[in-house]
């Protein structure tokens, strides 16, 4: 709490903006600072600026977060102003009126701000599991790997990059927007995921003859032919949050071996949230059985995106 008091209001506003557009969870907001600001100043200036950075931000009109979340967020702001003895702003009620009664959809937009201030906006599903897959939302390891890429652009600059299990595309789009690869191949195998992935690539202005060269490929780890791997000839291979099932982990190990046979110099990076030690340990054993070694890449990365940092995340480099 002492750290929050020492931070400047503009820093807190950036935190609110980042959480509003990407997390869609009230618990992620620095409410203590807001309450202190209201109690000390009895002023609506901070709330007015907060609205400009969230519900009234141009990005909210173009890529709106969940309707339900916006209702809850605005109601919470009104409640906290009233608790502080402040009269809620008319703009708050106007913004709430726009979403009251609006039907919720199974998908919404989430936006993730880069250090440059530009945003990556993705169409994601509201539910964590939907259409028979978990690939329609952004997971923590994808955000961590994106942050790592921002600090290590040399791994991607001027290279051909293949991403396995791209999901909705956060990591790959971050690399394309910030790390200057020559070519980037997004890949997944689930039809619904590929459809949303193609939409998100388009939303973020990638492809269409622009640099880097971007494609979205269907790639089934169990049946991917060596011809397809040779055609891609990746210099760098990345994957995030793909080690979650023993059978999937085995198929991934076999595919990585196939990639290294076709492109011996490829640099392979796998980032995982360790939710089940047995499953994750089993993946490493499958790597060993396939004749592959791994090195854990340690060291902190700068926090760019808001997400749950309590779960253990590990980034490894895989090699023959």
């Amino acid at each position: 709490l002492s750290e929050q008091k020492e931070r400047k209001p503009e820093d807190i506003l950036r935190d609110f903006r980042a959480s509003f557009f990407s997390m869609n969870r009230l618990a992620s907001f620095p409410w203590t600072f807001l309450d202190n600001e209201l109690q000390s100043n009895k002023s609506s200036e901070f709330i007015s600026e907060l609205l400009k950075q969230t519900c009234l931000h141009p990005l909210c009109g173009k890529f709106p977060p969940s309707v339900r979340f916006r209702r809850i967020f605005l109601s919470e702001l009104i409640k906290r102003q009233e608790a502080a003895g402040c009269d809620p702003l008319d703009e708050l009620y106007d913004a709430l009126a726009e979403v009251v009664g609006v039907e919720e959809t199974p998908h919404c937009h989430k936006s993730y701000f880069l250090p440059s201030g530009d945003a990556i906006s993705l169409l994601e599903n509201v539910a964590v599991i939907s259409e028979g897959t978990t690939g329609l939302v952004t997971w923590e390891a994808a955000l961590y790997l994106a942050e790592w890429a921002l600090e290590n652009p040399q791994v991607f600059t001027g290279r051909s990059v293949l991403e396995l299990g791209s999901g909705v595309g956060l990591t790959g789009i971050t690399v394309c927007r910030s790390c200057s690869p020559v070519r980037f191949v997004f890949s997944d195998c689930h039809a619904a995921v590929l459809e949303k992935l193609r939409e998100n690539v388009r939303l973020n202005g990638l492809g269409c003859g622009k640099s880097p060269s971007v494609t979205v490929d269907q790639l089934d780890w169990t049946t991917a032919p060596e011809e397809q791997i040779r055609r891609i000839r990746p210099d760098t291979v990345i994957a995030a949050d793909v080690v979650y099932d023993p059978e999937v982990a085995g198929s991934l190990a076999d595919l990585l071996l196939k990639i290294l046979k076709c492109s011996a110099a490829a640099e392979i990076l796998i980032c995982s949230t360790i939710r089940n030690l047995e499953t994750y340990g089993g993946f490493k054993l499958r790597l060993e059985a396939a004749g592959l070694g791994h090195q854990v890449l340690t060291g902190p990365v700068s926090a760019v995106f808001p997400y749950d940092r309590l779960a253990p995340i590990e980034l490894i480099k895989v090699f023959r």
Side-chain angles (χ1 to χ4, degrees), residues 38 64 79-80 89 91 100 102 107 119 125 135 149 158 160 163 185 195 223 233 244 277:
L38 291 174
K79 183 177 73 174
R80 287 177 182 270
L89 297 177
E91 295 99 309
V100 169
V102 176
H107 50 77
N125 276 28
S160 177
E163 183 178 22
V185 179
E195 180 181 354
T223 62
R233 290 193 64 81
Y244 53 85
L277 286 173

Side-chain angles (χ1 to χ4, degrees), residues 38 121 206 268:
L38 291 174
S121 295
L206 300 177
I268 298 177

